[in-house]
Amino acid sequence: MKKIIGCLMAGFGIGVATWWVKQFTSEEDAFRELLRGLTVGSNPDAVLYRVAERSTKLIRGTAAYVERVDVERDEVIAAAVYGTHGMPPAGTRGPYHGSVAEQVIRTGEAAFVRDVSKSHSILASMNHYPAVVLPLISEDEALGALIVIQGKKRLTGHMIAHLQSMADTAAVSLRRASSLEEVRQLLHNREEMLRVLAHDLRNPVNTISMATATLRSSTGLGQTQEKVIEMIERSAGRMNRLIQDLIDNAVIEHSGKLPMNAKEELADNLAEEVCELTRIQAKAKTVHLRCQIEGRAIVIVDRDRLLQVLTNLIDNAIKFTPEGGTVTVKSEVHQNEVRFSVSDTGPGIAKADRDRIFQPFWQAPATAHLGAGLGLAIAKQIVEQHSGRIWVESEEGRGSTFVFTIPASSSN
């Protein structure tokens, strides 16, 4: 009889062990399934919602939400809500001091709450539900709490550990959301600065330009006065270009392109016009400016933008060409495209720098602080928006040639 009872007990023990192993394996499989795709996507809010949803499903609870802490305002904010049992809508606020979130953050451990409506101001409208609250802490920073309203299923140590894994994922997402908000604020601050540049700085620059135009029209100016007026005009023009470059770069970063008003233009006329516009600047620096125009073709372009590219390339060439040097501007028709080029007899560009000169704000160490480092990046954007290409050919000590192409509509 004793042997029979012993066998029965042994069999019962094996059965319990088998059942426990199956139960444990089932829970682990369920947890792995809930983790699948949890952090997919770049939107932190969507990740937080999935954390709330899957935490609820993990323990077969009734609802859950992620709470974000604003320590400066002494507030907790419902960042993501899953469930409908009297849960607060996203954005609901409550006091942080004395909250269950503060308690678990202070201890760094999960806490069980018998009646969540009595221990949490945001959930005061809830019926008398028990809940498990887990801290959201990342890099020793208090970020919030994950609150899961319990169902009838008994919680195990493994479930709490799995919930903490969910909470850790939520903490990372909250940190990402905070970082994104900081980036948005920085972008807003920069846009405000650009607004000031566009309005508060451009107006006085335009006033200076008008004043110098008035002075130039006066009679009896001596050679010294003429030179001073030219210096003021060049400085005002340079300031205007810097302001416009900053504005253009902000537009590119915001929308990915610049506004264009494309019309039919004669390519050779554009080359002639830009040469005339820059002769005075070249003469002031005693640099020879040569223009070579070969062939005639119609191009569909934004005239002002294309002149902006050419002017920028010529300005750079004049800037880096020593006195007595030569800048050559060419316009050539090659099959179905017009090729513009600007060559100088300056120091050339180091091979290591040639792939970086079209990056925004990049400047070679030897020529840093001679501009904002935006002109070539904007020129590249303009050319590519015209379905063209731009590149540089250079050799140290033997000058540089910047080349860009624009598709030709027809040739004459």
Side-chain angles (χ1 to χ4, degrees):
M1 188 66 178
K2 289 182 179 181
K3 288 183 178 181
I4 293 173
I5 293 173
C7 289
L8 287 173
M9 291 296 293
F12 178 76
I14 292 171
V16 169
T18 303
W19 174 85
W20 185 86
V21 169
K22 287 182 178 179
Q23 196 75 0
F24 177 77
T25 304
S26 177
E27 286 182 6
E28 291 299 307
D29 289 343
F31 176 61
R32 281 194 290 270
E33 186 63 29
L34 288 170
L35 284 181
R36 186 171 299 168
L38 182 63
T39 59
V40 170
S42 59
N43 185 349
D45 292 337
V47 175
L48 292 176
Y49 179 81
R50 285 196 289 269
V51 167
E53 175 193 19
R54 298 184 187 188
S55 296
T56 303
K57 292 179 178 179
L58 177 67
I59 67 167
R60 297 180 189 174
T62 57
Y65 83 108
V66 178
E67 197 169 72
R68 177 172 63 83
V69 171
D70 188 336
V71 178
E72 292 182 2
R73 294 186 178 183
D74 189 30
E75 287 183 330
V76 287
I77 304 110
V81 179
Y82 174 79
T84 58
H85 295 273
M87 295 297 289
T92 302
R93 294 172 178 266
Y96 172 58
H97 183 66
S99 68
V100 68
E102 182 187 35
Q103 176 189 336
V104 296
I105 287 171
R106 188 174 61 250
T107 62
E109 296 179 355
F112 293 94
V113 179
R114 289 184 178 275
D115 186 348
V116 72
S117 65
K118 291 182 179 180
S119 60
H120 205 284
S121 60
I122 288 183
L123 299 176
S125 61
M126 292 283 294
N127 291 325
H128 306 292
Y129 285 109
V132 58
V133 185
L134 301 103
L136 306 184
I137 301 172
S138 178
E139 298 180 11
D140 297 324
E141 181 182 354
L143 298 174
L146 171 62
I147 300 174
V148 188
I149 310 302
Q150 289 180 236
K152 295 180 180 180
K153 187 172 183 179
R154 179 177 173 273
L155 293 183
T156 65
H158 289 295
M159 285 185 183
I160 299 301
H162 291 336
L163 279 177
Q164 189 59 60
S165 296
M166 294 282 191
D168 292 342
T169 300
V172 172
S173 292
L174 276 177
R175 179 170 287 280
R176 284 179 59 202
S178 177
S179 299
L180 286 173
E181 185 57 35
E182 289 178 7
V183 170
R184 290 190 191 102
Q185 186 59 46
L186 288 171
L187 289 174
H188 173 76
N189 294 343
R190 191 187 64 172
E191 287 176 1
E192 184 63 17
M193 180 194 70
L194 290 171
R195 185 194 65 78
V196 172
L197 285 171
H199 184 268
D200 296 357
L201 288 181
R202 178 165 275 176
N203 283 347
V205 170
N206 289 339
T207 301
I208 292 170
S209 298
M210 288 188 289
T212 54
T214 302
L215 287 172
R216 186 174 288 284
S217 63
S218 303
T219 57
L221 291 176
Q223 188 175 2
T224 302
Q225 288 88 348
E226 288 280 359
K227 286 184 177 180
V228 170
I229 290 173
E230 283 185 8
M231 288 173 60
I232 296 172
E233 286 177 334
R234 287 198 304 273
S235 297
R238 184 166 177 266
M239 288 175 67
N240 230 337
R241 285 194 299 275
L242 287 172
I243 293 169
Q244 188 59 52
D245 282 352
L246 287 169
I247 295 170
D248 284 347
N249 187 68
V251 171
I252 292 168
E253 289 187 349
H254 181 71
S255 62
K257 61 182 180 179
L258 290 166
M260 295 286 173
N261 182 24
K263 296 179 180 178
E264 287 190 352
E265 301 283 350
L266 284 171
D268 49 311
N269 286 355
L270 294 170
E272 288 175 0
E273 183 175 351
V274 79
C275 284
E276 289 302 319
L277 288 171
T278 52
R279 281 191 194 281
I280 295 175
Q281 181 184 354
K283 183 179 179 182
K285 198 184 172 184
T286 62
V287 170
H288 303 290
L289 181 65
R290 298 192 306 175
C291 286
Q292 299 176 5
I293 300 172
E294 301 175 7
R296 293 171 61 85
I298 295 174
V299 289
I300 300 176
V301 296
D302 184 311
R303 176 181 172 280
D304 292 337
R305 290 297 187 185
L306 200 71
L307 289 176
Q308 181 181 348
V309 175
L310 285 166
T311 301
N312 180 277
L313 296 180
I314 296 171
D315 286 351
N316 282 346
I318 293 172
K319 185 192 304 182
F320 297 116
T321 299
E323 292 185 4
T326 302
V327 171
T328 303
V329 180
K330 289 184 180 180
S331 171
E332 308 166 281
V333 178
H334 291 269
Q335 296 179 346
N336 297 323
E337 65 181 19
V338 178
R339 180 174 296 182
F340 297 94
S341 65
V342 178
S343 303
D344 62 59
T345 55
I349 302 169
K351 186 176 181 180
D353 296 336
R354 290 171 206 163
D355 291 335
R356 296 189 287 174
I357 57 174
F358 293 104
Q359 296 175 4
F361 297 106
W362 187 86
Q363 295 180 342
T367 58
H369 311 300
L370 292 178
L374 290 171
L376 290 176
I378 294 168
K380 183 175 184 289
Q381 178 70 33
I382 294 171
V383 170
E384 290 180 350
Q385 278 189 235
H386 283 89
S387 301
R389 299 171 295 120
I390 186 169
W391 67 92
V392 64
E393 299 168 355
S394 184
E395 187 177 339
E396 288 187 78
R398 301 189 66 178
S400 304
T401 298
F402 283 84
V403 187
F404 71 92
T405 63
I406 297 292
S409 177
S410 63
S411 56
N412 295 334

